[in-house]
Amino acid sequence: PPRDSLHPGDAEVWQVPDPRGMSLLLDTRKRSPSGILYAYPPALYDLSDLGGGWLTRGALESGYTLVGGDERETRFTKYVERKDGFLVSGLDFELWKPETGDYAMLRAGSLGRHDQFYDLEASRAGWLRFRGSFSGVPHKYGTDDVVLWNGGGSDSLTLPPGLSPAGNTQSALEAALASRALGTVEVQRDRTQLALRLRALPNLSLVAQYGLDDRKGAIPSAVGFAYPDFSSSIGGALEVPAPVDDRTHSARASLEWSSDLVQFNLGYNASLYRNQENSLTIAQPFESFGPTPITQARLGLAPDNDWHNVRADVAVNMPMRSRLTTGISWSRSTQNQDLLPPTIQSGTIGTTDLASWNSAAALSSKSAHARVDQVLVDIDLSVNPWRPLRLRGGYRFSNQDTKTNYLAFNPQTHQFGYIAEDGGFGATFGPSYLGFYDPTVPGSNWRTRNAPYGESHTTLDAGATYTAPWKSSLDLLLEQEDVDRDVSERPETRERRVTVSLNSRALSFATARLSYKYVGRDGGAIDYGVYKQYTSESLPGYIPAFPDGDGAHNLNQLVRPSLADLDGQRWNARLVFPLGERSDLSLAASLRDDNYGPGYGLTSDRTSGVEADWTVQASPAFSGDLFVSLERHNRDMQNIRGQATSANGDAGGPNYKFSNQWGVRARGDAVGWGAGLSAQPLHWLQLETRYTFLVTRDREHLSFASLSSLANPDFASPVPGTLPELRSRDSAVETSLRVALRKSTALRFYYRYERSDVDDFHQTGLPTLLGRRIYFGHKDLGYQASFYGLALQVSFGAGW
Amino acid sequence: AQPSDERTDAPGRDVAYVGDALCKSCHSVEASHWDRTVHARAFGANPRTELEQHTCESCHGPGGKHVGEPTSATIVAFTRDSSYAPEVMNSMCQQCHRGGALMYWIGSTHELRGLACSDCHNPMAQSSAESLLRKENANQTCFTCHPQQRADFAKRSHMPLLEGKISCTDCHNPHGSTTNPLLKADDVNQLCTSCHAEKRGPFIWEHAPVRESCLNCHKPHGSNHEKLLVTALPLLCQECHSPIDNPNFGHPAGLLTAQNMATGGAPDDRLMNRGCLNCHSQIHGSNHPSGPKFHR
């Protein structure tokens, strides 16, 4: 169920533990089979008789909230609304007719604010259940943003008065930016869910659901015109607000049958995405020279898309405590949005008249005709011939088949390719770099068709569980997964996994769950030549850039981690220690150690962590907890700064010289701790308070073979050793103090204090104008801010 | 440790049912809480099967022996001191809860780790708004055994779970699924795009690792890095890309240093603000005919 910032948990703010505890009969506290103490149950409400057999209760909380300190800082209100003003902060209402089992419950909070929620459940218990909910989710990306353009949130960004497209000096832009007020770039997501479950027969349930996600606002996006570093006359990169005005409709209908022998689910799911904006036009603010100034750009926004899924799951219980479970799922994603022309720009660059590229007539296909089909088959058999031993076997096949077939071809000019950066690329580097294939130019290599990425996974597994007569079990699982990719530099890989786990409640003072997993992956040869068929390199008459062929697509010994050879281990331990009658201690430790081949790209990724959680439940009136969390991660990578001298893509070759090699060792840690206290020292006084602290640090250690490994060898002084530390430190105190004035009336004081510091080198010193770049200038700043609330609680039918 | 005398056989149905009035005569506090639960409302007013009519004994088994010998050995208790193994406890729940979302419970990670239903649920009291959980909500229940995820959700970049806007069970089915992380979908991308539908495409220009799995670049719960990324930009991109120095192919993957920050002598977009996405803004896929490099 949804909640808001004042009610982040499900526990109602007027709810207190039952002073009678859990049982009068048993004086020992009850623990779950794993040894965790059950919480004291909440005190029971008195219910008022409405007549006609209906009982009811209800409660309302309303008051005034205040914010103080640096309350405008983005992260203080990133997903919540905190502001001064009156607020109905909570509503809780219940109707119940014991005779028929009919009931209705309504919960709501933050009424009228952007993070409001409503949750209604109406049911005839055991037979029919309706659920409707609404939840507002604000998402702020920046509250200190300087946006140069007018029209934020719309599909057209225009320059403010006084500025003209492609015609402004740096000083004019600087002055314009300085005059813009700080603004907020945010998206409001409103989620509505309706669900109905009908138990039509004792063994048959029907389920229907509908959901609507409605988003409005803007998100930070960007558009470029060419490398901003390479040109002082044309290139440029702009951070812009992209409009968000979309809806996602989701629906589900399913039938669930459940008998002793057979259970099956048959369901249909759909998700339909509808975007009211399909493009964003941006006025280009920088001075642009030459006969054809680049005055504007157009981004394609997310297209409407449909997803449909049919799924069937069947389980059959068989002799010898055996069970066969089969799941089959078929999905289809389609998208057929009308395509934008290759450019919005007009004019002539070189001998190319952009008029032949700026209309739909320049497209080989007027719409996308994009489609991906997916199939999943999952079969599992479990047999239990001898009670202590259970054997399992499984087969899983999934296939993702991309049917999209887009050709970048202009039927007007009979040219393959497109217009890069609305002509900005060609205007910067010359007409041969406009973006389309020119058979007279060596190395005129441009994308001409889409790559239909798809893959199939076939997984076989076998497992055995031995249950020992010491409240313990030992489990072994062997898995082999073959991946076959339709388009990839490494089409085939095989992954083998072995998992051993031990679970034990043998010791009276502990429950232990330990596991170890080995993962090994290898595969076929790496060949980046597979991508030639999707570029003009495969067209007749193509002249390579170099005598031995065209330039390398990528370093041959570098593949993404999911394709690379892998030698990995994972260790996991979870321990629970019941401590006396009234507390328990949980310990968790984990290590993930992955090493990748063949030497470039991500080479190793190691994460380890330890967590401890101590919980005390001294009495219904007093409970507390303390937790500590430590995490450390190391991530190593290697790369080589490439040069364009030949077709050779090997490490150590003429393009990728060892003297240009470099590496980064990323070291990070996170240390967190927190404590909570719930106390009711007097029957009219209830205190809930929690403190949390988390500090994270990441430092990139740089190494390089020579200065030519650097992106900018001319700026190698001082010799780079690390990047500045990425650091965040957050602490928060949250307190709720409730004073009962009468049986049905209470005052609640709420207080939250946050303190935060962030250092992020991506944002350090970030201006709004830097050369031919324009940014919002957003930075996550350190802040201290408070949120106060004083509310009156009124209840009827409640017995506190 | 001593060999266990824990019972692995289901309680015999030959024992007599005694009726809930007798149960409540001793277990009055338990019964007062139980009476407010959805189970009690259903069993009391609308029992759909003969078993449900037995209320307390529907789950705990017939109480005939327990009346004469009121110990945990004569009734199915769902606690650590129970005389029954977790598989027997679970089988009592599975008398009713055996299909639907529990289709894949057998063989699931939680089942193989020996968890009992009552490790997460407490059907004896309405401690949570729904699902009769042991704690006040699903998130707090999950954090008991998954504290690392609690730390992740507190990181600088995180899903709004601690803000009450999302729940562990929005993405995971703790009762089992056809995926190892107990996802409520066939794969990671199907799950992520159920909320982030604008990234589903399919686009005419796709980014191979995006089509493969969102987790190639993002952490699912929280991260020290913006946008839940697994590492800092541009290193994340440079773990896969090493283009040569040619406008057609891109810019060389040289090592960026502090000099490439906004405050350095050679500011470079890849190390500032949105990193590589300052230009490749449509990194999840582009539907613009001029967007094969995700610039449009």
Side-chain angles (χ1 to χ4, degrees), chain A residues 431-445:
Chain A
S432 62
Y433 291 106
L434 265 170
F436 53 81
Y437 172 52
D438 182 347
T440 67
V441 175
S444 181
N445 195 353

Side-chain angles (χ1 to χ4, degrees), chain A residues 562-605:
Chain A
S562 58
L563 306 181
D565 287 354
L566 170 63
D567 184 12
Q569 302 183 70
R570 291 110 170 89
W571 297 85
N572 266 294
R574 301 192 199 290
L575 304 169
V576 176
F577 298 94
L579 301 178
E581 282 291 308
R582 304 187 187 282
S583 76
D584 47 51
L585 173 68
S586 297
L587 293 178
S590 62
L591 169 66
R592 177 187 175 121
D593 187 7
D594 290 342
N595 294 284
Y596 297 92
Y600 292 92
L602 182 66
T603 55
S604 73
D605 184 8

Side-chain angles (χ1 to χ4, degrees), chain A residues 67 168 251-252 271 362 418 487 541 544 547 581 619 719 748 752 760:
Chain A
V67 289
N168 309 295
R252 177 185 168 217
S271 172
Y418 53 97
V487 180
E581 282 291 308
S619 72
V719 175
R748 187 165 81 101
R752 182 180 176 87
D760 184 340

Side-chain angles (χ1 to χ4, degrees), chain A residues 223-281:
Chain A
V223 63
F225 293 89
Y227 306 114
D229 307 316
F230 284 13
S231 169
S232 60
S233 60
I234 301 292
L238 314 171
E239 186 171 24
V240 295
V244 173
D245 185 3
D246 58 23
R247 288 183 165 192
T248 304
H249 304 267
S250 57
R252 177 185 168 217
S254 68
L255 179 155
E256 299 175 359
W257 172 266
S258 168
S259 69
D260 288 340
L261 184 63
V262 178
Q263 299 100 46
F264 70 84
N265 300 336
L266 181 61
Y268 165 75
N269 301 283
S271 172
L272 311 177
Y273 173 78
R274 297 293 178 263
N275 196 351
Q276 304 304 307
E277 309 283 359
N278 78 332
S279 69
L280 173 63
T281 302

